[in-house]
Structures are given as C-alpha cells and as structure tokens.
Amino acid sequence: MKDLDPHIAAAVNGENGEAQKAGTRKCLMNRRQFLLTSGLTTTVVMVGIPGLSEAETPAVVSTYPRKLIGKLSELKTDEPLSFEYPDEGQYAESILVKLGTKVGGGIGPDADVVAFNYTCTHQGGPLQGTYKAADKALGPCPLHLTTFDLTRHGIFISGQAYQSLPQVLLEVDGDDIYAVGMFGLIYGRFDNLQG
C-alpha cells in the first residue's frame, strides 16, 4: 500500500498551518453545539418568538345555507323524500327519511329522521331509488354494489367504498326541518359549497 503524503495528512488533520495553506478549515462547531443550535432553531420555528408580529392571514369560513327541506308532520316511516343541498350543483341530490328507530344524528321527537347525500363515495354512482326499508340502508350502488347503513351515520356495510355517505346536518324549528350543514365531503368536489 502506498504511504499517504505527509502534507495531505497534515492538511486533512489541520496540523502545522497546512489547513490554511490547502484552503480547508476546521469545522466551526462540534456535534454537541450543532444539536443544541438545531434544537433551539426548531423550537423557534415551531413555537415562534414571543413578541414577534404574527402573520395576518384571514381565516376562510364556510357557512352553509339554512334550507327548509320538509315538515316533521308530513314524514312517513320508510318513505324517503328527495331534495338538493347544499346547493343545486352536481351531486347535490340528497335523501330525507324517517327510519322509525333512534339513529346516529337523528332529529325529531324519536331521533329517527336523517338525511344523506345520494352519491356513492366510491366512484359517484347514483343511489336514488335504492333505499331498503327492512335494512335501513341505501344501496347497493349500481356500479360496484356498495351499501350504506343509514342508522350509523351512513357508514358503508359492504362493497368498494371506504368512506361513509356525507350526512346532511338537520335542525328542527317547530314542525319545519332545515338542512344546515354537511358532515363529510360530497363525491366529486373539493368543497361542498362549490358544486
């Protein structure tokens, strides 16, 4: 094996002023100093420094319209009604149904009235006309046979979907039923309010 030139070894090791001659220099900080400095920097970035002005970025707030969609007195058990919400855009058609048993997110005196978007969350298949009263379910979707349980916030029972149906949030005012928001994203949209 060939011996290393002593001038190169001195430059690498920083001996006898060889580092300055070779254009190299010693490291400016040791490992402990590096870890301490990087830890402090991370803390400042994550937490911020008290007293520094904060960025003034306005918050984006989505306000859903309050829309009258039905009357409690007119609903009959297992007879769904269709309506559009939160707008009249693509995939906005929804179902309002009195299930006759207390359910997740249900309103009314028996907590049995719910509403869901009619579009399958898998690939946007139409679920209109697929309500099954015996199972309190919507489906199967004509595309890939996904079925959704309306008693448990629209969770999928079987099929290809992996997300629950978007549930329309409801409010009762006397006998009137209002749609006031959405729980979940409507298929095919980046924002429920931009159909």
Side-chain angles (χ1 to χ4, degrees), residues 23-185:
T24 62
R25 60 180 186 189
K26 286 182 115 179
C27 185
L28 298 176
M29 68 175 63
N30 62 28
R31 183 172 185 256
R32 177 171 287 162
Q33 291 170 325
F34 172 76
L35 291 174
L36 197 73
T37 304
S38 63
L40 288 172
T41 304
T42 302
T43 302
V44 168
V45 169
M46 298 292 283
V47 176
I49 298 175
L52 286 181
S53 64
E54 296 177 13
E56 293 186 21
T57 305
V60 176
V61 178
S62 296
T63 305
Y64 287 93
R66 186 173 191 245
K67 181 178 181 181
L68 178 65
I69 59 170
K71 297 203 173 282
L72 277 174
S73 60
E74 295 175 359
L75 291 179
K76 293 179 177 46
T77 303
D78 295 323
E79 290 184 18
L81 299 174
S82 294
F83 66 98
E84 289 187 348
Y85 189 81
D87 51 31
E88 294 178 5
Q90 189 174 18
Y91 305 120
E93 194 168 353
S94 300
I95 177 178
L96 173 69
V97 64
K98 178 178 176 65
L99 298 174
T101 183
K102 187 175 180 178
V103 297
I107 61 159
D110 300 322
D112 64 344
V113 177
V114 289
F116 291 91
N117 182 268
Y118 257 138
T119 308
C120 180
T121 58
H122 179 230
Q123 288 187 341
L127 295 170
Q128 293 87 336
T130 64
Y131 175 69
K132 306 289 186 273
D135 301 321
K136 309 295 184 201
L138 206 54
C141 173
L143 298 182
H144 299 100
L145 307 177
T146 301
T147 304
F148 299 91
D149 185 351
L150 301 187
T151 66
R152 298 186 315 151
H153 299 284
I155 192 169
F156 66 94
I157 299 169
S158 65
Q160 299 295 314
Y162 53 88
Q163 293 178 340
S164 300
L165 279 178
Q167 186 166 8
V168 179
L169 303 177
L170 302 175
E171 181 179 281
V172 177
D173 186 2
D175 191 41
D176 295 333
I177 302 171
Y178 290 91
V180 295
M182 295 295 297
F183 182 63
L185 184 63

